C-alpha cells in the first residue's frame, strides 16, 4: 500500500493539534463531567431506520426505554443488558446554564465494537471501523473490525476533543443532548459495550456538573521537545497486537536543541507497519509497539534512525511500571560498556493520531545483523556441512510472546523440569526442518553434557562448548540488577558457525524493566541475596538446570568474582553508574514531566512496583539508593572469596589508560593459553610506527606501556595479534 500525500496531511494534522490545544488553554480553570456512562439514558434497539432527527434535541424519545448505562450483553461493564443486536441507539439530555463558560469538551468512548456520537445533531466522534466522518450509518450496518472495550481491563477510553469555537456553534443554553449509535461487529458477536462520558473545560471557578472520573486526563499543550519527536498516523485504523497495520511515521530530530511539532520530518518520513507488542505489558494503557520501516510497496526498507545503524526492525518501548523511565536504558548502556552487544536506544516523545503518548525509548529489536547479533546469515537452502552449524538465535521464554514457536526440552537431570526454547533466528516461518533438527540436537547434547558427572572436567567439560565470558557477563548483569526474570525469561543465546566460533554464547540481555528493585515478588526489592538462588517452586518457567550446574562450578565462580572486581574499578563503579543516571535525567527532565501528566501514576501502585515514591525525584532517589546498597552487598560476597591465579577464557585487548595521554599509556591484554603475541602501534593512516611487543607468553592478564614521546600528537591504533585473533583499540596522544 502506497501512502500518497502524507506530508501535507500530517502537517495540517499537527497544526490542528496546536490550535486545538491552544484553545483548550484559553481562560480554562478546571474540568467537570456532565454526562457519565452510568447515568440514566434513553435507548432503543432499532428494527428499522430511525427518523433523521433522532440525534437532535427536538426529537421525542418518550417511547424509548430508559436504563442505566452502559448498554451491552451483561459481560461485566454494562448497567443495562440488552438482547443481542447489531446496534443500540442512546440519548442523554443535560442542561447548560452558561454556554460561554464551557470553553472545551472531551467525549470519552469505551465501546465494543463501534460508534458514532452526536451533540445536538452534530457529529463529534466516531470509531475508525464505522465509515468516514460525516457518513450516514444504517441501523443494521456492522463494523469493519473488532474493538475491545478498555475500562473494564484497566485501560483508557478513546478521547475526542472539541474546542471553544466548535462548542460555540453546537451548544445552547438550556437542554442539550448527547446521542450515540453503538454498533456491533456482527450478529453472532458474543459481547457488546457502550460507555460514553462528556466532560467540559470550565472557564471560571463555578461548579455546573460533577467531578471527572478517576482515569480522566486533562489535555495539555505539546508543541516542542529537546528529544526527538516521533509522529505516527494510522489513518483512522486501530493498532492491534496482530496483525500489523500500515501507517506513516515521521521523525523530527535536530540532533541538538529544540524540536518543534511544526518542523519538517528529517529523521524519517515514510511508510511503516506497526503492531502492539509485549506480553504482560499489554495490560498497561501505555502500549509499546514493534514496527518495520517499509518502502511504498510494503517491502522492508533498511534505514538509519536516530543515529542507529540502518535496519528495518525497531521497537518503541514504553516505560510505565518503571517510573524511573531508566531501567532498560541503564541495563543496555552497561552491557555495551562491557563490550557486549545490547540494543542501542534513543529517548523520544511519541504522538499517534494527534494523541500525545508520552516518553518512549526508540530501540533496536534483537535480530541477526552485522550491526546487531553479528553471526552468519542462515539461508533456507543451507542444510549441510559447516553452513548448517550457524547462525542461530534462541530464546528461553514464555510460550505466549513474539515468534513463540519452539520446543520443550526434557531435562536430562533428575529433579528439574523441561525448558521452552524458542526459534528467534531464523524465525519460525523461515527455519527449515534440517535446521530445526540440528539446533535441537545441539541443545540436547549440551544439556546431556551439563547433566553429566564430568561437565566441569578441565578437558572434557563444558568450557570448550560455551563462551564462558558471555555466561559470566550475563550473570553479572542479572545479579547487579537482581532482575526477577533473569536466566529464565527473555533469555537470549546464539550460536555461530563452527568455522567462525561455534560455542554457545549467552545474550544479548533483554527486558530489564523489572530489575533494579522494581518488583515486589521473587525478592526483587531486596538488595541482598543472589537471584540465582530465588525459590520458583510455583512458577511454570524456572531457571534452566544448566545455569545451576554452572553456578556450582568453582571455576565459574572464581572467574565471576574476578570479572566483578575488574568491572568495579570501571563501569560498575558507583560513580560511573550514577553518572549514567544523572546524564539521562538531564536529557529527559522536561519530557518526564509531560509523560507523567499523560500517565499520572507516580503516586499509584502499578504492578509489580516494590516502591511508590509519589514523585519522580523520589523514584530516582530510590533507584540510586537501591543500586548503592546492591553494589555494597555484592562486594562483600565476592571479596569473601579467595583469589587464586586468574583464569582467562577469551582473548581480549583492554582500553588503554590514560587515554588521551602524554606521553605514556598502559595497555592491558589477556590470552587464554600460552601463545605467540604481537602488539604493534600504527598511525591513523595505517602505517606501523612501532613494534611494541613480539613474544611467546603464558596465559592470563598482562600489561605493557608505550611511550609516545618520539611521536607527534594525533590518533594512533594499537593492534593485538595472537594466532587468528586480532583486536584494535584507538588511542590519542596529546602534547
Amino acid at each position: 500500500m502506497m501512502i500518497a500525500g502524507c506530508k501535507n496531511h500530517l502537517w495540517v494534522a499537527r497544526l490542528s493539534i496546536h490550535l486545538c490545544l491552544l484553545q483548550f488553554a484559553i481562560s480554562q480553570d478546571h474540568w467537570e463531567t456532565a454526562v457519565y456512562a452510568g447515568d440514566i439514558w434513553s435507548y432503543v434497539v432499532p428494527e428499522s431506520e430511525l427518523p433523521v432527527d433522532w440525534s437532535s434535541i427536538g426529537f421525542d424519545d418518550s417511547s424509548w426505554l430508559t436504563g442505566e448505562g452502559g448498554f451491552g450483553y451483561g459481560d461485566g461493564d454494562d448497567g443495562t443488558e440488552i438482547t443481542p443486536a447489531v446496534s443500540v441507539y442512546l440519548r442523554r439530555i443535560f442542561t447548560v446554564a452558561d454556554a460561554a463558560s464551557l470553553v472545551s469538551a472531551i467525549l470519552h468512548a469505551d465501546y465494543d465494537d463501534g460508534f458514532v456520537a452526536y451533540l445536538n445533531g452534530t457529529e463529534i466522534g466516531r470509531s475508525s471501523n464505522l465509515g468516514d466522518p460525516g457518513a450516514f450509518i444504517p441501523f443494521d450496518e456492522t463494523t469493519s473490525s473488532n474493538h475491545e472495550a478498555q475500562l473494564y481491563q484497566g485501560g483508557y477510553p478513546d478521547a475526542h476533543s472539541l474546542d471553544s469555537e466548535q462548542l460555540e456553534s453546537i451548544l445552547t443554553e438550556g437542554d442539550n443532548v448527547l446521542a450515540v449509535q453503538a454498533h456491533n461487529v456482527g450478529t453472532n458477536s458474543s459481547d457488546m459495550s457502550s460507555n460514553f462520558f462528556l466532560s467540559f473545560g470550565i472557564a471560571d471557578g463555578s461548579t455546573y456538573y460533577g467531578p471527572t472520573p478517576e482515569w480522566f486526563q486533562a489535555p495539555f499543550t505539546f508543541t516542542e521537545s529537546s528529544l526527538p519527536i516521533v509522529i505516527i498516523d494510522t489513518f483512522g485504523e486501530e493498532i492491534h497486537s496482530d496483525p500489523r497495520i500500515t501507517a506513516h511515521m515521521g521523525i523530527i530530530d535536530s540532533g541538538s536543541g529544540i524540536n518543534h511539532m511544526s518542523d519538517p520530518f528529517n529523521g524519517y518520513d515514510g511508510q511503516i507497519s506497526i503492531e502492539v507488542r509485549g506480553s504482560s505489558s499489554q495490560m498497561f494503557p501505555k502500549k509499546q509497539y514493534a514496527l518495520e520501516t517499509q518502502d511504498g510497496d510494503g517491502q522492508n526498507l533498511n534505514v538509519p534512525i536516530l543515529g542507529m545503524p540502518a535496519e528495518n526492525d525497531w521497537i518503541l518501548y514504553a516505560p510505565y511500571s518503571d517510573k524511573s523511565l531508566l531501567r532498560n536504558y541503564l541495563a543496555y548502556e552497561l552491557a555495551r560498556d562491557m563490550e557486549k552487544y545490547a540494543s542501542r536506544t534513543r529517548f523520544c516523545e511519541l504522538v499517534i493520531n494527534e494523541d500525545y503518548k508520552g516518553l518512549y525509548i526508540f530501540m533496536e529489536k534483537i535480530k541477526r545483523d552485522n550491526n546487531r547479533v553479528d553471526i552468519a546469515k542462515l539461508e533456507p537452502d543451507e542444510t549441510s556441512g559447516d553452513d548448517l552449524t550457524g547462525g542461530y538465535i534462541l530464546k528461553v521464554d514464555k510460550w505466549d510472546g513474539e515468534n513463540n514457536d519452539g520446543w520443550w526440552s526434557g531435562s536430562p537431570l533428575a529433579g528439574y523440569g523441561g525448558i521452552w526454547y524458542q526459534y528467534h533466528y531464523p524465525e519460525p516461518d523461515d527455519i527449515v526442518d534440517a535446521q530445526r533438527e540440528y539446533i535441537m540436537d545441539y541443545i540436547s547434547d549440551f544439556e546431556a553434557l551439563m547433566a553429566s558427572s564430568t561437565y566441569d572436567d578441565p578437558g572434557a567439560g563444558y568450557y570448550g562448548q560455551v563462551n564462558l565470558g558471555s555466561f559470566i557477563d550475563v550473570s553479572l548483569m542479572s545479579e547487579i540488577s537482581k532482575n526477577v526474570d533473569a536466566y529464565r525469561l527473555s533469555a537470549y543465546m546464539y550460536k555461530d558457525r563452527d568455522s567462525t566460533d561455534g560455542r554457545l554464547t549467552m545474550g544479548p540481555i533483554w527486558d530489564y524493566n523489572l530489575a533494579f528493585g522494581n518488583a515486589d515478588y521473587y525478592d526483587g526489592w531486596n538488595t541482598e541475596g543472589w537471584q540465582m538462588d530465588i525459590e520458583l517452586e510455583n512458577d511454570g518457567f524456572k531457571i534452566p538446570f544448566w545455569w545451576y550446574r554452572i553456578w556450582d562450578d568453582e571455576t565459574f565462580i572464581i572467574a565471576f568474582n574476578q570479572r566483578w572486581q575488574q568491572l568495579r574499578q570501571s563501569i560498575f563503579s558507583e560513580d560511573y553508574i550514577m553518572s549514567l543516571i544523572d546524564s539521562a535525567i538531564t536529557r529527559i527532565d522536561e519530557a518526564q514531566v509531560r509523560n507523567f501528566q499523560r500517565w499520572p501514576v507516580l503516586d499509584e501502585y502499578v504492578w509489580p512496583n516494590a516502591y511508590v515514591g509519589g514523585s519522580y525525584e523520589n523514584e530516582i532517589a530510590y533507584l540510586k539508593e537501591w543500586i548503592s546498597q546492591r553494589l555494597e552487598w555484592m562486594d562483600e560476597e565476592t571479596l569473601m572469596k579467595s583469589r587464586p591465579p586468574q583464569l582467562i577464557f577469551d582473548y581480549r585487548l583492554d582500553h588503554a589508560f590514560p587515554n588521551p595521554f602524554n606521553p605514556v599509556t598502559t595497555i592491558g591484554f589477556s590470552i587464554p593459553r600460552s601463545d605467540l603475541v604481537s602488539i604493534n602501534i600504527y598511525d591513523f593512516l595505517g602505517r606501523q610506527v612501532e613494534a611494541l611487543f613480539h613474544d611467546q607468553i603464558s596465559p592470563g592478564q598482562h600489561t605493557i606501556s608505550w611511550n609516545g614521546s618520539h611521536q607527534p600528537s594525533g590518533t594512533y591504533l594499537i593492534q593485538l595479534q595472537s594466532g587468528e585473533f586480532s583486536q584494535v583499540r584507538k588511542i590519542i596522544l596529546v602534547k
Side-chain angles (χ1 to χ4, degrees), residues 9 64 86 189 192 217 231 279 339 346 372 388-389 449 485 493 518-519 534 566 576 578 590 654 691 710 721:
H9 173 87
W64 288 23
V86 171
S189 175
M192 187 179 192
Q217 298 170 351
I231 300 173
S279 180
E339 301 186 348
R346 285 289 303 275
R372 297 188 184 181
L388 182 60
T389 65
L449 170 64
D485 290 344
M493 63 194 78
N518 194 38
I534 203 68
Q566 174 198 18
Y576 184 77
M578 299 307 165
E590 293 182 357
D654 297 327
H710 54 292
Q721 184 78 43

Side-chain angles (χ1 to χ4, degrees), residues 24 28 31 94 99-106 119-120 124 161-172 176 198-201:
F24 273 141
Q28 186 165 295
W31 285 88
F94 64 96
S101 66
L102 308 183
V103 296
S104 56
I106 300 178
L119 185 55
N120 293 336
I124 60 172
S161 303
L162 291 85
D163 59 36
S164 58
E165 184 176 337
Q166 292 170 300
L167 289 180
E168 186 178 355
S169 66
I170 298 174
L171 287 181
T172 63
N176 294 258
L198 183 63
S199 304
F200 289 105

Side-chain angles (χ1 to χ4, degrees), residues 328-346:
N328 263 322
Y329 161 82
L330 178 62
Y332 300 150
E333 286 291 308
L334 289 173
R336 286 196 298 275
D337 286 339
M338 295 166 75
E339 301 186 348
K340 305 296 188 217
Y341 169 74
S343 293
R344 300 171 183 89
T345 61
R346 285 289 303 275

Side-chain angles (χ1 to χ4, degrees), residues 166-337:
Q166 292 170 300
L167 289 180
E168 186 178 355
S169 66
I170 298 174
L171 287 181
T172 63
E173 294 187 359
D175 287 345
N176 294 258
V177 63
L178 174 65
V180 182
Q181 56 183 111
H183 288 248
N184 216 331
V185 72
T187 56
N188 296 321
S189 175
S190 62
D191 56 356
M192 187 179 192
S193 298
S194 49
N195 295 276
F196 301 92
F197 305 78
L198 183 63
S199 304
F200 289 105
I202 312 298
D204 54 38
S206 301
T207 298
Y208 297 101
Y209 305 110
T212 57
E214 291 184 356
W215 44 261
F216 181 87
Q217 298 170 351
F220 59 94
T221 303
F222 176 60
T223 60
E224 61 182 34
S225 175
S226 59
L227 300 176
I229 301 173
V230 179
I231 300 173
I232 295 174
D233 190 342
T234 69
F235 303 97
E237 288 197 65
E238 184 177 356
I239 305 175
H240 305 279
S241 58
D242 187 54
R244 296 191 178 208
I245 64 167
T246 301
H248 180 276
M249 180 174 73
I251 298 178
I252 303 166
D253 179 27
S254 65
S256 61
I258 302 299
N259 299 300
H260 300 87
M261 284 283 292
S262 55
D263 292 341
F265 297 139
N266 59 356
Y268 183 77
D269 184 5
Q271 184 167 303
I272 63 171
S273 64
I274 186 169
E275 66 182 353
V276 175
R277 69 170 302 277
S279 180
S280 58
S281 64
Q282 290 203 26
M283 70 179 177
F284 299 139
K286 185 181 182 184
K287 305 298 185 184
Q288 52 180 314
Y289 305 96
L291 62 94
E292 292 180 349
T293 48
Q294 299 181 332
D295 62 19
D297 296 323
Q299 300 301 306
N300 289 346
L301 179 67
N302 290 342
V303 292
I305 289 184
L306 299 176
M308 294 177 282
E311 243 291 346
N312 60 77
D313 276 304
W314 307 92
I315 286 173
L316 276 164
Y317 168 68
Y320 187 74
S321 64
D322 172 19
K323 298 167 192 174
S324 76
L325 309 172
L326 300 179
R327 285 175 167 87
N328 263 322
Y329 161 82
L330 178 62
Y332 300 150
E333 286 291 308
L334 289 173
R336 286 196 298 275
D337 286 339

